[in-house]
Amino acid sequence: MPSTQKVERVAELKEQIEGSAALLLTEYRGLTVSEITELRKSLGEGGARFAVIKNTLMRRALENTDAAGLGSLFEGPSAVAFVLEDPVAAAKSVTAAAKKFPALVLKGGFVEGRVLTADEARSLAELESREVMLSKIAGLMKGEMSRAASMFQAAQSRFLSLLEAFKAKLPQEAEAAPDDEAAPET
């Protein structure tokens, strides 16, 4: 029979899971307490909360959530980074910490309704920041708008050239037409 403390802890975890933009699952085997504390601070600056949680409690908390697929990754000593803001920045922080502390291993993650493998979670860290990607998109849109504007200008220029050619042709026909009409019929 589960204790009331465990039931409350599972409910807390479920709230944290549902309130997070992403989850990053790591294995921390071999890290010292001071290294974990340093990792918590670095992730906290990146908008994530790093917590060591019992696997059984986390699996129960994951039940009936979108992140339920992560339950199978909870084997061995596991810790979770609850990402509150930018998943890319948090993934970068975790991979930077993994370089600093080789014992830290990224096992997987959950972002935007999708369970990520370890490789996919690492590739998330290789993405550029949100601001950089938005500025690139804005640059691409500006280029497309400039190209569209020049196409409209070229079409207008061609149309005006056609009108000028037509106008130049009209007076010649207009002069020829009155002569034909003025000639008496025989």
Side-chain angles (χ1 to χ4, degrees), residues 114-135:
R114 214 175 132 230
V115 176
L116 305 176
T117 64
D119 291 333
E120 291 172 331
R122 272 187 231 96
S123 67
L124 183 65
E126 294 169 3
L127 290 175
E128 294 173 338
S129 71
R130 183 176 188 269
E131 290 78 21
V132 170
M133 291 195 311
L134 287 174
S135 67

Side-chain angles (χ1 to χ4, degrees), residues 8-103:
E8 290 172 3
R9 181 65 178 141
V10 167
E12 275 178 35
L13 288 171
K14 192 170 252 184
E15 284 179 29
Q16 286 180 338
I17 291 166
E18 291 170 352
S20 298
L23 301 172
L24 296 173
L25 179 63
T26 63
E27 183 176 316
Y28 65 93
R29 185 185 325 238
L31 289 178
T32 65
V33 173
S34 62
E35 291 172 339
I36 290 176
T37 304
E38 187 178 335
L39 179 61
R40 279 189 176 127
K41 285 180 185 176
S42 69
L43 285 174
E45 293 167 1
R49 191 178 147 288
F50 189 74
V52 175
I53 302 165
K54 284 188 170 189
N55 291 343
T56 54
L57 292 178
M58 194 63 186
R59 279 192 211 111
R60 285 189 188 138
L62 286 168
E63 289 175 3
N64 300 323
T65 66
D66 293 340
L70 271 181
S72 62
L73 298 176
F74 281 91
E75 296 294 327
S78 301
V80 179
F82 295 96
V83 182
L84 304 174
E85 296 169 11
D86 186 13
V88 174
K92 285 182 181 188
S93 295
V94 170
T95 55
K99 288 176 184 172
K100 187 174 181 179
F101 309 117

